[in-house]
């Protein structure tokens, strides 16, 4: 590594907070629950979180809205953060043989992944919030 002119290093981490709000401030997306790139769910969680936060605030005060946002969204976030253990070992092999196997699988990939996705991806049915009049 000392002699490499192309060394790259990056950390893989998640954000797991006991609460996503305090007072009149609420966090959403990576600030509240970054799942790590190993899950492939960062954008999905951010969009779902923003939608759920907006809908939760639409017809109640901020304290009740923040509580509803976390109550209705926390399980979905937790399930998707749990995906990190399913792909990391395959994506980052630790032996030469495992690296060769991963590269062979990628080279031989002939189709897109199945349309169904993982169960975690559809673990939350988005409620239909009514527009304010």
């Amino acid at each position: 590594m000392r002699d490499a002119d192309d060394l790259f290093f990056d950390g893989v981490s998640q954000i797991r907070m006991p609460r996503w709000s305090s007072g009149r401030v609420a966090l959403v997306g990576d600030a509240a629950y970054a799942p790590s790139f190993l899950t492939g769910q960062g954008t999905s969680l951010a969009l779902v979180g923003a939608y759920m936060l907006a809908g939760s605030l639409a017809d109640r005060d901020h304290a009740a809205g923040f509580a509803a946002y976390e109550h209705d969204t926390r399980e979905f976030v937790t399930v998707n953060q749990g995906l990190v253990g399913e792909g990391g070992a395959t994506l980052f092999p630790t032996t030469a043989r495992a690296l060769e196997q991963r590269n062979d699988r990628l080279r031989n990939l002939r189709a897109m992944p199945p349309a169904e996705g993982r169960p975690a991806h559809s673990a939350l049915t988005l409620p239909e919030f009514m527009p304010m009049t």
Side-chain angles (χ1 to χ4, degrees), residues 20 27-28 33 49 52-53 56 65-73:
W20 300 336
L27 300 175
V28 68
Y33 35 77
M52 294 298 289
L53 177 58
S56 296
F66 292 166
Y69 157 60
E70 185 161 339
H71 177 268
D72 296 340
T73 313

Side-chain angles (χ1 to χ4, degrees), residues 42-95:
T43 301
S44 297
L45 288 180
L47 290 170
V48 165
Y51 179 85
M52 294 298 289
L53 177 58
S56 296
L57 289 169
D59 62 352
R60 57 190 85 150
D61 68 65
H62 73 278
F66 292 166
Y69 157 60
E70 185 161 339
H71 177 268
D72 296 340
T73 313
R74 172 77 66 174
E75 183 178 347
F76 179 69
V77 167
T78 301
V79 168
N80 279 275
Q81 285 181 322
L83 294 174
V84 74
E86 295 180 21
T90 302
L91 187 58
F92 301 110
T94 57
T95 67

